[in-house]
Amino acid sequence: MTTFTFLWRLTRYRLGLYFLNALAWTLIYLAPIVPGLLTKAFFDMLSGSSPYELGLGMIIVLLVAAALGRVVLIIFGFMTDVQFRFRIGGLLRRNLLSHVLKEPGARAIPTSPGEAISSFRDDVEQVEETVSWSVDAFGMTLFAAVSCYILIGINAQMTLWVFLPLVLVVTVAQLSTAMLQKYRAASREATSQVTGAISEMFSTVQSIQVAGAEDRVIRRFKELGEQRREAMLKDRLLSTSLESIFSNAVNFGTGLILILAADSMRTGTFTVGDFALFVYYLNFVTQFIQNFGKFMTYFKQSTVAQERLQSLLQGAPAERLTEHHPLLLRGNLPEPQEAERRPEDRLQQLSVAGLTYRYPETGRGIEGIDFELGRGAFVVITGRVGSGKTTLVRTLLGLLPKQAGEIRWNGKRVEDPSEFFIPPHSAYTPQIPRLYSDTLQNNILLGMRADPARVGRAVHAAVLEEDLERLGAGMETVIGPRGVKLSGGQAQRTAAARMFVREAELLVFDDLSSALDVDTESRLWERLEEQRSGAACLVVSHRRAALARADRILVLKDGRVEASGRLEELLERSEELRRLWYRGEE
């Protein structure tokens, strides 16, 4: 998709608002035409060469009215411009975020979070700027055409010298395309690396301190900062140099106009009013030439922004960036709707055959995994560190893109696991739960409509009620970075309550009880057994309480199922499970 097509598709999102904005700014840029003619009439009247019979008072009144009219137009123009820019920027970010959230977890973004934030912020703003300046370019071009027509009627030769710099502006902008795009891309990349480094430092503060790596991290950050400074300097220097060329080209034309005007005024072919009109229009023509050059610069730089935004799509059609969707900017947001539960959603049998995923960087992962899981079953996946336990559940749920294998739900093939394995089909608790700076209840519901009875059952099943009594505001207690800091076990049980409240058919736990004491873990499994109403459980764990409760255990070794069966059977025939059971190794 070309840059022009990309920008046009964005413009069409609110075409009426765009044309209203274009009309406002066209009138703003055309507004100086009338004051210029009034200025000519004023000076011609003073010199006695005016063909019009306007009095001084009338001219002043008309000039003031024109100025006030332009002020009103500018206010209206800024309002329409902000409204339009906000919407196209919102659409771009909405479409990008929607795509990222639908991608498998391991492929959500191809860069660090910091770099992605840079694209969401800087590249979207660059596109907004370009589309916004297209309105200015149109209005300024129309002004140039009208003023050129008026000035040619007065003196064609001098008019040529007024607009000749425009040719230079266009030529220089075209010649500088490659350098503009190169330096802008380098500048954006350097900024993304700095942002990414900041994000990584904030998320690994404890690891940096434990390793005593503060000096090395700071030194690396300084290196990235210096690279960014150099890249930004080159980008800014080129842009500023172009603006200087545009401005000085206009000044050169101005000097020629003054020389030609002096000669014409001596011969009587050029009046004082004509000179005043040329000088008055010259200021706006100067702005036109400078701004037209700026628009062309923005257009070239928006190509870089478009490429960076498209890279976040990771091969998806570029048109996804500009798909039209409602932004819901006014009125109340619609209430979140829980997915409809159909008879076919009720789990009877989950079958997995040949499931395979290997990480491209290391070649490690899982291969040829087969297992079945029936309604109400409690299946535990166990194995040592690196055996592929987490990779297995993430691939099953579509958080990693499976490279081979087949998944069937009640005999029907699951084509897209990432779309299918969500409530009411399944709910998942990862190894490290993500909690937000919000109330405990909102962390559990995550947008679901509050149902006190349902929330109460989830809190009870997660063994959280005693913790609630110790929290000052109960379910309204704010937790997370800006609130109460929960312990590891409390965070895990909060994530478990988040999963239980969805009452899904398949509950997937990834090492849920790793931070729980033996008593709390035992109570959690007992309550789950009481309340899950036939839901199947797929549990990653090496803890004895989970293994003893399992209907079936899958023992993984080097990414493959080494053995499967009940605990008593496997303790007799699986050396790998005996090692885990008796030596407490994962």
Side-chain angles (χ1 to χ4, degrees):
M1 183 164 55
T2 65
T3 303
F4 178 82
T5 303
F6 170 65
L7 297 176
W8 171 241
R9 287 174 61 90
L10 276 178
T11 301
R12 287 173 51 202
Y13 178 60
R14 287 293 182 267
L15 196 57
L17 185 57
Y18 177 81
F19 282 134
L20 185 62
N21 192 34
L23 175 62
W25 284 97
T26 299
L27 293 175
I28 289 169
Y29 285 111
L30 286 176
I33 295 291
V34 174
L37 295 174
L38 291 173
T39 302
K40 176 181 177 339
F42 173 76
F43 282 101
D44 283 342
M45 183 189 67
L46 292 180
S47 62
S49 58
S50 174
Y52 307 108
E53 296 182 358
L54 290 175
L56 179 60
M58 179 57 70
I59 291 177
I60 293 175
V61 169
L62 291 175
L63 282 171
V64 171
L68 291 176
R70 192 163 190 262
V71 169
V72 172
L73 285 172
I74 289 174
I75 294 174
F76 180 71
F78 274 111
M79 291 174 61
T80 57
D81 188 59
V82 168
Q83 292 287 332
F84 180 73
R85 288 185 57 158
F86 184 82
R87 279 161 175 77
I88 62 171
L91 179 69
L92 271 176
R93 293 186 177 99
R94 182 258 175 224
N95 289 344
L96 276 173
L97 186 60
S98 175
H99 176 79
V100 166
L101 293 177
K102 289 180 179 179
E103 284 289 284
R107 296 184 65 248
I109 52 175
T111 61
S112 70
E115 292 176 288
I117 289 172
S118 175
S119 285
F120 270 78
R121 179 190 61 212
D122 300 330
D123 293 319
V124 171
E125 285 182 359
Q126 180 66 64
V127 173
E128 285 181 23
E129 199 76 24
T130 304
V131 177
S132 176
W133 273 87
S134 68
V135 170
D136 296 76
F138 176 78
M140 290 183 295
T141 302
L142 195 56
F143 164 80
V146 175
S147 60
C148 179
Y149 174 79
I150 294 172
L151 295 178
I152 285 177
I154 298 173
N155 190 306
Q157 185 181 19
M158 275 194 291
T159 303
L160 175 65
W161 289 111
V162 170
F163 289 94
L164 186 61
L166 178 60
V167 178
L168 179 61
V169 167
V170 175
T171 303
V172 172
Q174 289 295 331
L175 292 176
S176 62
T177 295
M179 293 181 64
L180 278 170
Q181 294 177 345
K182 174 185 174 182
Y183 288 148
R184 178 48 56 96
S187 169
R188 287 285 189 258
E189 180 63 26
T191 300
S192 296
Q193 289 182 2
V194 170
T195 309
I198 293 173
S199 174
E200 291 174 1
M201 283 191 293
F202 284 165
S203 61
T204 58
V205 170
Q206 187 173 359
S207 299
I208 293 172
Q209 291 175 332
V210 170
E214 292 94 334
D215 292 339
R216 290 192 296 276
V217 170
I218 292 173
R219 185 165 57 251
R220 174 58 178 162
F221 185 66
K222 286 182 176 178
E223 291 173 358
L224 291 175
E226 180 63 21
Q227 293 172 8
R228 178 177 181 267
R229 185 189 67 81
E230 293 178 1
M232 291 287 289
L233 181 62
K234 291 178 181 178
D235 184 27
R236 187 64 59 83
L237 181 61
L238 179 59
S239 299
T240 306
S241 298
L242 287 174
E243 290 180 10
S244 177
I245 290 172
F246 303 153
S247 178
N248 288 320
V250 172
N251 293 334
F252 177 74
T254 303
L256 292 176
I257 291 169
L258 292 174
I259 294 172
L260 291 171
D263 184 62
S264 298
M265 290 178 73
R266 278 198 303 269
T267 61
T269 59
F270 201 70
T271 68
V272 175
D274 293 337
F275 180 76
L277 181 63
F278 266 81
V279 172
Y280 184 85
Y281 281 174
L282 187 61
N283 178 55
F284 296 100
V285 171
T286 300
Q287 293 180 11
F288 160 62
I289 294 174
Q290 290 175 327
N291 291 340
F292 192 84
K294 184 179 290 187
F295 167 68
M296 295 196 68
T297 300
Y298 283 156
F299 186 84
K300 304 301 181 184
Q301 292 172 340
S302 67
T303 301
V304 176
Q306 178 193 355
E307 291 172 353
R308 284 169 52 84
L309 292 172
Q310 286 181 195
S311 70
L312 293 178
L313 299 181
Q314 303 183 76
E319 289 75 13
R320 191 164 295 179
L321 281 174
T322 56
E323 289 177 348
H324 295 181
H325 297 280
L327 295 179
L328 306 177
L329 300 177
R330 291 190 174 88
N332 297 325
L333 292 175
E335 288 290 331
Q337 298 296 318
E338 188 174 351
E340 180 184 355
R341 295 172 184 265
R342 302 165 301 176
E344 58 266 32
D345 293 327
R346 189 176 176 84
L347 175 63
Q348 302 300 332
Q349 187 79 18
L350 175 68
S351 303
V352 175
L355 193 63
T356 299
Y357 176 80
R358 292 200 173 275
Y359 295 95
E361 302 84 1
T362 64
R364 298 178 63 85
I366 58 169
E367 184 170 350
I369 301 294
D370 300 328
F371 70 90
E372 291 186 349
L373 180 151
R375 180 167 188 78
F378 192 97
V379 175
V380 175
I381 302 170
T382 193
R384 284 188 266 184
V385 172
S387 60
K389 304 184 296 296
T390 295
T391 302
L392 170 54
V393 296
R394 286 172 63 82
T395 306
L396 169 68
L397 299 176
L399 300 174
L400 291 172
K402 65 183 178 70
Q403 297 162 344
E406 185 178 77
I407 304 169
R408 290 184 176 273
W409 181 278
N410 297 340
K412 184 177 180 180
R413 182 170 180 170
V414 176
E415 299 295 341
D416 186 353
S418 64
E419 289 282 343
F420 184 85
F421 284 104
I422 57 176
H425 295 128
S426 72
Y428 169 57
T429 297
Q431 277 183 321
I432 304 175
R434 303 294 182 184
L435 302 180
Y436 305 94
S437 293
D438 205 337
T439 64
L440 183 64
Q441 176 162 293
N442 287 342
N443 267 278
I444 292 173
L445 292 174
L446 284 185
M448 283 182 59
R449 184 177 299 175
D451 180 341
R454 193 166 172 178
V455 172
R457 290 195 298 270
V459 167
H460 178 75
V463 198
L464 263 177
E465 65 273 15
E466 294 177 7
D467 300 89
L468 283 177
E469 293 175 2
R470 291 191 289 267
L471 295 174
M475 293 294 287
E476 295 303 315
T477 302
V478 176
I479 63 174
R482 297 184 181 87
V484 175
K485 306 297 188 294
L486 300 183
S487 68
Q490 288 173 324
Q492 283 190 329
R493 283 178 287 127
T494 299
R498 176 190 292 170
M499 179 171 61
F500 296 150
V501 80
R502 277 146 178 83
E503 298 181 350
E505 293 291 304
L506 173 65
L507 303 177
V508 182
F509 307 79
D510 190 350
D511 209 11
L512 171 66
S513 58
S514 60
L516 305 183
D517 59 72
V518 175
D519 178 61
T520 302
E521 180 188 10
S522 177
R523 290 162 63 195
L524 186 145
W525 295 130
E526 288 173 3
R527 293 183 181 183
L528 176 62
E529 181 68 27
E530 295 170 0
Q531 297 191 22
R532 59 190 167 112
S533 302
C537 295
L538 186 61
V539 180
V540 172
S541 181
H542 64 280
R543 304 274 288 237
R544 289 192 172 190
L547 294 171
R549 188 174 294 275
D551 300 318
R552 188 180 181 192
I553 300 171
L554 300 177
V555 183
L556 296 191
K557 183 177 181 181
D558 298 327
R560 295 178 177 273
V561 177
E562 190 265 349
S564 68
R566 296 185 65 86
L567 176 63
E568 297 79 5
E569 304 169 7
L570 294 177
L571 286 175
E572 293 180 3
R573 59 185 175 85
S574 173
E575 177 64 29
E576 192 70 13
L577 184 64
R578 284 197 298 271
R579 182 191 298 271
L580 294 169
W581 181 263
Y582 292 115
R583 300 186 183 182
E585 294 181 7
E586 184 176 359

